[in-house]
Amino acid sequence: MTSVTELAASGRTPIPGFVAEHLHVTPDQIGRYVLLPGDPGRCEPIARHFDDARHIATHREYVTWTGSLLGEPVSVVSTGIGCPSAAIAVEELSRLGADTFIRVGTSGGMQPFCGVGDLAIVSAAIRDEGTTSHYLPMEFPAVADIDVVDALREAARRTGARAHVGVSQSKDSFYGEIDPDSSPVAPQLHARWSAWVKGGAICSEMEAAAIFTVAAIRRRRAGGVMLMAGNLEMPQEELEAAMKTLTLDGLIGTAVEALRVMIERDHAAAAG
Amino acid sequence: MAVPAVEELQHHVQLKPGDVGRYVFLPGDPGRCEKIASYFEGPRQVAQNREYNTYTGTLLGEPVSVTSTGIGGPSSAIAMEELTKIGADTFIRVGTSGAMQEWIEPGDLGIVWGAIRDEGTSLHYLPVEFPAVANLDVTLALREGARRTGARAHVGIGQSKDSFYGQHEPGRMPVAQRLHDRWAAWMAGGAICSEMEAATLYIVAASLGVRAGGIMLIAGHPDQRPMTPEESARMDLDVLLRTAIEGLKVLIEADRAAGGTPGRGSANGRANGQA
């Protein structure tokens, strides 16, 4: 077993003898930089943007591909839906020596200015989930690494994607968000949703809070970029028209570009 | 910037529209305002009431102000609410704090990107799950400010607590064990410094749709052992203030380059608005 301080200090050195029992991958099969989609089916299309991408493993909801960008090994690993499985992925990848994580996925827009197809660059996440309470008291903020956030914004500038920087809601119940009245605690779900909107939250998704919190404790860097597919604050007809033109190209292109920005900046910092 | 509708003096800060700039420094200590204002062009005191002491001047030709908040979330929330009503939309907390990591040296600066909501005021605004996070542009400007002044600065998480003596002398509190356990958890989470206002300011800013950030001079050690004379000698308020001023200049330049003045409530005027 490794202590909190040992893990925090391990950096890019794999924990000796560690077996990734859920991911089924080994340290030499994983890059330092990892994209984290929720959907296992999205790993291959993302990996096509890498040089020399190869499939590494598929176990449970965890699909892993590895390739390279700018000569640096990079990976994409699906987390499955929700913070419990996402936390396992970040824990195992951290022990394998990965230190930079970018969540990439879809979300619901929460502000009138969040157009369908816009990107959300997640600066911090609402801990509206159960997993992170196993790590830190609720008062602790789930914030992204500022260099990853800055790299994502630079990547959006390069790809020309329309992007907003802001807070996401990381929830545990998909249907509690899209059909709150179906829940016995509907009044509470409505009141809290309204508070998140008034607090300026820009998108609703299901994994960022755990990825940011576990990464912070392990002293890894994490951020996230989300496609805003749908917007509960938008009129239904407008929404349906916008959804017809929705593609993942801008999202994936921006996430991959952000890895390039991180790699360029890390190389420049290492060169002094 | 929209012209605020409110013309009467704000109740606690005793200020009206036109008395302050869009950009406001927020120290805790009323006695520090004059010193901060001495870095402005043409500073003048515009009001003093209770713990709220306000000076206004200019930087790069832009009206800027400093208003003290007093200690703690309750009085800080009042300051931000009233300053926002009279037209301010960008806030930088400046002050002192305690170190929460052994690798931090006394005299280093902490740029507070996120804050632990270990306080009561922000719960009157948003449920505790909501992250107290600074505005990205304000935070990056402060980091660039530190590059320009050469100050040793760390971007990270601050603990915003309601009890000064609960941090400094936890052992004598009836809830000592809880204070010790939570302090250890904050350190394990990577918190860099302990102060008393950032979380409230960031949550109130999120609720009002304004921008906030913070930069702290860091003193002491995580285990509360006293500083050596050499360490005490490294504590230099001038480094903090020069860096905060330089950071605000960076922000003013960036705002001008971006073509002006994001209005409050618009997409890119939100606390964490459009990229």
Side-chain angles (χ1 to χ4, degrees):
Chain A
M1 290 295 111
T2 37
S3 72
V4 175
T5 44
E6 277 176 279
L7 261 176
S10 66
R12 290 160 62 193
T13 307
I15 300 297
F18 174 72
V19 175
E21 65 174 291
H22 299 89
L23 267 52
H24 283 200
V25 297
T26 54
D28 54 302
Q29 295 175 317
I30 288 291
R32 172 183 181 187
Y33 305 87
V34 185
L35 293 179
L36 298 173
D39 183 352
R42 233 166 249 162
C43 291
E44 185 176 351
I46 292 172
R48 285 205 195 102
H49 293 254
F50 300 163
D51 299 325
D52 307 316
R54 64 189 195 281
H55 175 248
I56 301 292
T58 296
H59 187 244
R60 295 179 180 253
E61 59 263 65
Y62 305 107
V63 170
T64 300
W65 287 67
T66 292
S68 66
L69 286 172
L70 304 174
E72 192 77 42
V74 295
S75 299
V76 52
V77 179
S78 55
T79 61
I81 294 172
C83 287
S85 58
I88 289 170
V90 176
E91 289 279 23
E92 295 191 1
L93 289 165
S94 296
R95 285 164 170 77
L96 296 167
D99 79 347
T100 305
F101 304 102
I102 298 181
R103 159 149 170 68
V104 46
T106 52
S107 68
M110 293 178 72
Q111 297 291 334
F113 61 78
C114 299
V116 173
D118 288 2
L119 301 185
I121 295 168
V122 183
S123 59
I126 299 166
R127 294 173 56 185
D128 203 1
E129 42 70 49
T131 304
T132 61
S133 297
H134 294 255
Y135 288 90
L136 282 167
M138 196 49 86
E139 293 87 347
F140 201 95
V143 290
D145 179 88
I146 196 163
D147 291 315
V148 177
V149 178
D150 193 37
L152 282 164
R153 189 158 71 163
E154 172 60 21
R157 284 196 192 110
R158 292 186 187 176
T159 62
R162 195 174 129 97
H164 312 269
V165 178
V167 168
S168 76
Q169 177 215 21
S170 296
K171 63 189 178 284
D172 271 350
S173 170
F174 180 80
Y175 291 101
E177 180 214 333
I178 65 160
D179 190 10
D181 290 325
S182 70
S183 166
V185 295
Q188 183 190 315
L189 293 176
H190 282 295
R192 286 165 64 89
W193 179 267
S194 166
W196 309 144
V197 172
K198 285 179 181 163
I202 60 171
C203 73
S204 177
E205 50 77 54
M206 301 185 67
E207 294 84 13
I211 292 169
F212 295 175
T213 300
V214 176
I217 295 165
R218 305 303 176 217
R219 306 296 190 267
R220 269 66 175 177
R221 308 180 293 188
V225 60
M226 313 299 302
L227 180 68
M228 299 203 255
N231 185 339
L232 293 181
E233 306 293 312
M234 191 183 265
Q236 189 63 27
E237 285 170 18
E238 207 178 302
L239 179 63
E240 282 171 14
M243 291 285 280
K244 283 177 186 156
T245 61
L246 194 64
T247 77
L248 293 176
D249 297 347
L251 171 72
I252 295 174
T254 301
V256 171
E257 192 61 36
L259 287 188
R260 284 200 192 92
V261 175
M262 290 299 294
I263 292 167
E264 286 166 7
R265 290 178 176 177
D266 286 343
H267 286 176
Chain B
M1 194 188 318
V3 178
V6 190
E7 290 302 330
E8 69 274 20
L9 285 176
Q10 291 297 306
H11 188 58
H12 299 89
V13 294
Q14 289 290 301
L15 296 163
K16 61 184 185 307
D19 281 345
V20 297
R22 172 185 176 190
Y23 304 94
V24 184
F25 285 111
L26 298 175
D29 184 352
R32 223 167 258 161
C33 293
E34 187 178 356
K35 165 85 172 154
I36 294 168
S38 73
Y39 293 80
F40 301 166
E41 297 287 329
R44 66 184 201 286
Q45 188 182 39
V46 287
Q48 179 163 26
N49 186 50
R50 297 180 179 247
E51 58 264 66
Y52 306 108
N53 188 12
T54 300
Y55 285 74
T56 294
T58 63
L59 282 177
L60 304 175
E62 191 79 36
V64 296
S65 300
V66 52
T67 299
S68 53
T69 61
I71 294 171
S75 58
S76 300
I78 290 170
M80 183 174 271
E81 290 270 7
E82 296 188 1
L83 287 163
T84 300
K85 278 185 184 151
I86 59 168
D89 73 357
T90 303
F91 299 92
I92 298 177
R93 160 149 171 69
V94 287
T96 51
S97 66
M100 295 186 73
Q101 298 291 334
E102 279 298 339
W103 48 264
I104 289 176
E105 293 175 22
D108 288 0
L109 302 183
I111 296 170
V112 183
W113 167 227
I116 300 165
R117 295 174 58 183
D118 204 1
E119 42 73 55
T121 305
S122 72
L123 292 173
H124 293 256
Y125 288 84
L126 280 164
V128 71
E129 293 88 346
F130 200 97
V133 62
N135 175 273
L136 178 64
D137 293 313
V138 174
T139 307
L140 290 174
L142 288 168
R143 184 159 74 169
E144 178 59 24
R147 285 202 187 105
R148 290 189 184 179
T149 62
R152 203 174 116 108
H154 315 282
V155 176
I157 289 167
Q159 178 218 19
S160 299
K161 64 193 178 279
D162 270 351
S163 170
F164 180 84
Y165 290 102
Q167 180 218 330
H168 286 259
E169 301 168 21
R172 70 175 173 81
M173 300 304 166
V175 294
Q177 193 57 52
R178 181 173 187 271
L179 293 173
H180 283 300
D181 290 347
R182 284 163 64 89
W183 182 261
W186 310 144
M187 284 180 64
I192 59 170
C193 65
S194 176
E195 53 78 65
M196 300 185 67
E197 293 85 15
T200 309
L201 291 171
Y202 294 176
I203 291 294
V204 175
S207 304
L208 297 174
V210 297
R211 305 185 296 182
I215 185 163
M216 314 298 301
L217 182 64
I218 304 180
H221 298 282
D223 61 2
Q224 312 305 329
R225 71 180 185 277
M227 289 190 286
T228 64
E230 294 74 30
E231 287 171 340
S232 297
R234 287 197 69 224
M235 296 293 298
D236 186 352
L237 198 63
D238 184 60
V239 171
L240 170 73
L241 300 183
R242 280 192 296 111
T243 302
I245 294 282
E246 207 54 47
L248 180 49
K249 286 182 182 167
V250 172
L251 189 62
I252 290 170
E253 287 162 1
D255 285 345
R256 285 177 178 169
T261 56
R264 281 199 315 271
S266 69
N268 48 4
R270 282 226 61 100
N272 290 285
Q274 193 169 338

